[in-house]
Every structure is written in structure tokens, then in C-alpha cells.
Amino acid sequence: MKISDSVRYAGVNDHKVDLFEGQYDVPNGMAYNSYVIMDEKSVVMDTVDQNFTDEWLANIERELSGKKPDYLVVSHMEPDHSANILNFLKKYPETTVVGNAQTFNMMGQFFDLPDNMNKLVVKNGDTLEIGKNTLTFVFAPMVHWPEVMVSYMTPENVLFSADAFGKFGALDVEEDWACEARRYYFGIVGKYGAQAQNLLKAASGLKIDVICPLHGPILTENLSYYLDLYDKWSSYTPENEGIIIAYASVYGHTKEAAELLKELLEKKGAPKVSITDLARDDMAEAVEDAFRYDRLVLATPTYNGDVFPFMRTFIDALLERNYQKRKIGIIENGTWAPMAAKVIKGMFEKSKDITFVEPVVTVKSALNSESRAKLEELAEEMK
Ligand SMILES: [Fe+2]
Ligand SMILES: [Fe+2]
């Protein structure tokens, strides 16, 4: 597949992966992208996951059409992209591997590298002339590993963006970009908003016609749409007005309160209201929605003097990703000593720009007229 005058696609689709990175459900699989640049010099951009060695090497051979690869650029050492470096070098031992000092440190940890390996160690901003085109290496530390670097190719204006602008889902499945790119971003990169902002700043001065990420489709049109979303996500700015109600429930009473709140909010004309059962629904989807919308309701029983375990996991996931700039409402349940609200407020103590919406709704075992009235008040304040 031809992407620009000189860039060809050489990646693979993975429909066998059960959990991406050991934790993310990927119902439509995953793509590990790799590219071949055919200029006076030929360049391979990254390898792919360990399960696709033969398929990928065949793709590379096809795209090189008889040429030998002069360079292998390693943008990111996470094994979904680096697993085949050694296999590649066995087939093409003369290729020069391009990376930064950190890249080669990590490579030495993952592999027993050949002593005679040709290396080109680059610094931030270094360039590599490959013929008509020149590659400039721009470091993107902690988006989301420390060695990550993107490559910008002129004059064809192609940005090889590493994991940035990637998404879940194989390339042979049609699906909405934003939904799975958002879930990917907040799951994997979400903690590193400041670093992603730095990368966007560096990119803002460049004329970009094509973005070639390591996962998901190659972006060729309407690039400002993707750049704007990345700017919102990495600055923790809510993307849409809306409310996500995230609940955990032992016997269904907390669930009932959460569902009643949804109904009340909808009656009062609130913007989009989504609801999620933290024990049963995809947690990564809940995290994604918490960052997508400007309002969040947490509904949980008190459990062992704490919140319910799935609620703790959820809140930890938000805190780890610097959850901020949002309003939070609370529904707590407790049969003898309800204290979930206190625990929740304590957990967000150090978070920036979080407003708790009053009243906290306390359910004592099951809904009654008093707690229903409080839910009505909470709905009024959050709608
Ligand atoms: Fe990665
Ligand atoms: Fe990746």
C-alpha cells in the first residue's frame, strides 16, 4: 500500500490478541504498523509484535522490491513494535539501526545483540538524509516511554508519530476513530498529558500532510480534527458536556439509586448521560468516558470501611491519569456506617480543579423517600 510518494505500508493486523498490553479488551483486534520508505536510501520504520515475524518480514521484502534496507528506525522499544529487531537483523545484518541512547540501552536489555551491529545513535533534532527526503528525529519522552521519538520526513511532510494518534482495532475493521483512539489514549498515554502537550507544541510548527502512527489508520485528511482532539485530551479539557454515572453495587440497591439518578437527569434535560457498572462493564471505557465528559457521579457501597473494590480501582485509574477539571457527585450506601463519600473526597484531595457537587446522597441500605429527595436535588445541581 502506497501512502505517499516514498512511504509504503508493511504492518500487520492481529485478531488473536486477547488483551492488548495484558489488560485492554480489543474486540476488533489490533494493528501493529510498520512502514518502508523507498528513497535513494531505503528505510524500515519499526518492527511488529512477536507473533507476526514471517508475515511482517514478507511485507518488508515485498515493499523493498529487491532493495536492501539501509536503515531500521526504532521509534519505540515496547515489544509490540520492537519484538522483531533481532529477526530483522538476522535477515538483513548490514542494516544500520537508528535510535537514541535510551533506545539502545533498552534494546540491549531485551536482546542479546550482535557485536557487529551497525548503529546510528541520534540526538533530539538530528537529521538523516535519505535522498529526496530528510528525516528529522524529534524526541517525545514519556509519550508514553522515555525513549520514544517521532520522525518527521520532508519534503513529503510525513510524521511518523510512534504510539501518538494510535488506536485500538485492526485496520481491516471499519469503526469510529475517536472512540477507540480515546480509549487507547486515556488508557495508555493519559498519565502523560504534559508530555503529549510538548509533542503537540513541537508538531504545531511543522507542515504535516500525513500522520503514520504505530497503531490504527494512517491519517491523511482533516488532520486538524485529530490534532484538536489530542490537544483536548492531553490538556484534560472535557471534550463534551455530559455526565457519566459509574457505580458498583453488591445487592442492587446502589445500582437502583444510580439508575434513578440517570432517569432524573434525563427528565431534567441534562446533556448525554451514560451509566456504567464498574464490576461488569469495560473499565477502560469507563475511564475514557470520565475524561470525555465534564461531570462524573460515583455511586458505591461502603465496604470494609472503604469504597467497593471496583470503585477503588476505578478512582485509582483516574488519579493515576491526573483526573482534573471536572465536577463530581457522590451517592454512597451503607447499612451501619456509611463512609464512602468521605473516602472518595479524601482520594481526590490532591487533584487539581475538582468540585464536589452537593448534596452527597446517602442511601442507608435501600432507597427511601428521604434519599429519593436527595437524588432529585443532586440531579438538579448536576443537570
Ligand atoms: Fe507503547
Ligand atoms: Fe504501541
Side-chain angles (χ1 to χ4, degrees), residues 20-21 76 78 80-81 163 184 215:
F20 179 66
E21 292 195 355
H76 182 20
E78 205 170 5
D80 53 335
H81 310 294
D163 273 341
Y184 178 91
H215 304 283

Side-chain angles (χ1 to χ4, degrees), residues 1 3-4 7 9 33 35 156-167 171 175-178 181 200 208-230 233:
M1 186 175 75
I3 294 166
S4 70
V7 181
Y9 186 75
N33 296 338
Y35 304 92
E156 286 177 30
N157 303 334
V158 181
L159 178 69
F160 297 93
S161 63
D163 273 341
F165 302 99
K167 69 182 268 298
L171 296 190
E175 63 179 0
D176 178 55
W177 185 87
L200 287 177
I208 301 169
D209 292 328
V210 184
I211 298 178
C212 292
L214 287 176
H215 304 283
I218 291 105
L219 308 175
T220 53
E221 274 165 23
N222 200 10
L223 295 188
S224 61
Y225 167 76
Y226 305 100
L227 289 158
D228 284 353
L229 280 179
Y230 251 66
W233 297 345

Side-chain angles (χ1 to χ4, degrees), residues 369-383:
S369 56
E370 201 183 319
S371 46
R372 281 175 212 276
K374 287 285 181 203
L375 276 178
E376 182 87 44
E377 277 179 56
L378 180 62
E380 193 57 38
E381 292 302 317
M382 292 208 79
K383 72 176 187 205

Side-chain angles (χ1 to χ4, degrees), residues 182-240:
R182 192 190 298 107
R183 191 167 69 96
Y184 178 91
Y185 175 84
F186 284 110
I188 292 169
V189 190
K191 180 181 173 65
Y192 304 106
Q195 291 83 349
Q197 281 279 306
N198 288 340
L199 175 60
L200 287 177
K201 253 176 232 137
S204 69
L206 309 174
K207 183 180 183 311
I208 301 169
D209 292 328
V210 184
I211 298 178
C212 292
L214 287 176
H215 304 283
I218 291 105
L219 308 175
T220 53
E221 274 165 23
N222 200 10
L223 295 188
S224 61
Y225 167 76
Y226 305 100
L227 289 158
D228 284 353
L229 280 179
Y230 251 66
D231 185 37
K232 281 206 177 92
W233 297 345
S234 56
S235 60
Y236 303 97
T237 308
E239 183 184 332
N240 300 106

Side-chain angles (χ1 to χ4, degrees), residues 12-247:
V12 298
N13 288 316
D14 185 354
H15 286 287
K16 289 203 177 114
V17 57
D18 60 342
L19 290 175
F20 179 66
E21 292 195 355
Q23 58 172 319
Y24 297 101
D25 243 334
V26 280
N28 287 331
M30 201 65 202
Y32 313 114
N33 296 338
S34 163
Y35 304 92
V36 173
I37 307 169
M38 296 293 278
D39 205 320
E40 277 163 38
K41 303 281 183 191
S42 52
V43 183
V44 175
M45 302 297 293
D46 296 288
T47 85
V48 300
D49 183 83
Q50 59 178 350
N51 294 322
F52 297 88
T53 308
D54 295 342
E55 185 184 341
W56 174 69
L57 284 173
N59 289 352
I60 294 292
E61 195 176 320
R62 184 193 64 224
E63 297 305 336
L64 285 168
S65 36
K67 271 185 93 175
K68 279 194 169 176
D70 296 291
Y71 297 103
L72 169 67
V73 173
V74 180
S75 310
H76 182 20
M77 273 305 297
E78 205 170 5
D80 53 335
H81 310 294
S82 70
N84 280 298
I85 291 175
L86 211 52
N87 293 325
F88 175 88
L89 288 174
K90 276 180 199 147
K91 185 164 175 185
Y92 303 110
E94 280 141 45
T95 304
T96 298
V97 182
V98 182
N100 55 54
Q102 291 242 43
T103 318
F104 287 108
N105 278 343
M106 290 183 181
M107 213 179 291
Q109 293 177 172
F110 279 107
F111 303 108
D112 205 357
L113 294 169
D115 296 331
N116 60 351
M117 181 176 91
N118 298 317
K119 286 202 251 183
L120 175 63
V121 184
V122 295
K123 292 199 188 69
N124 188 25
D126 278 1
T127 56
L128 177 64
E129 280 180 34
I130 54 171
K132 292 195 301 323
N133 285 286
T134 301
L135 286 168
T136 303
F137 305 105
V138 178
F139 290 10
M142 297 320 293
V143 182
H144 57 127
W145 275 32
E147 85 299 359
V148 173
M149 59 183 200
V150 304
S151 306
Y152 176 56
M153 190 179 93
T154 45
E156 286 177 30
N157 303 334
V158 181
L159 178 69
F160 297 93
S161 63
D163 273 341
F165 302 99
K167 69 182 268 298
F168 296 126
L171 296 190
D172 51 4
V173 181
E174 284 265 347
E175 63 179 0
D176 178 55
W177 185 87
C179 183
E180 285 297 71
R182 192 190 298 107
R183 191 167 69 96
Y184 178 91
Y185 175 84
F186 284 110
I188 292 169
V189 190
K191 180 181 173 65
Y192 304 106
Q195 291 83 349
Q197 281 279 306
N198 288 340
L199 175 60
L200 287 177
K201 253 176 232 137
S204 69
L206 309 174
K207 183 180 183 311
I208 301 169
D209 292 328
V210 184
I211 298 178
C212 292
L214 287 176
H215 304 283
I218 291 105
L219 308 175
T220 53
E221 274 165 23
N222 200 10
L223 295 188
S224 61
Y225 167 76
Y226 305 100
L227 289 158
D228 284 353
L229 280 179
Y230 251 66
D231 185 37
K232 281 206 177 92
W233 297 345
S234 56
S235 60
Y236 303 97
T237 308
E239 183 184 332
N240 300 106
E241 285 198 350
I243 302 156
I244 167 175
I245 304 172
Y247 72 84

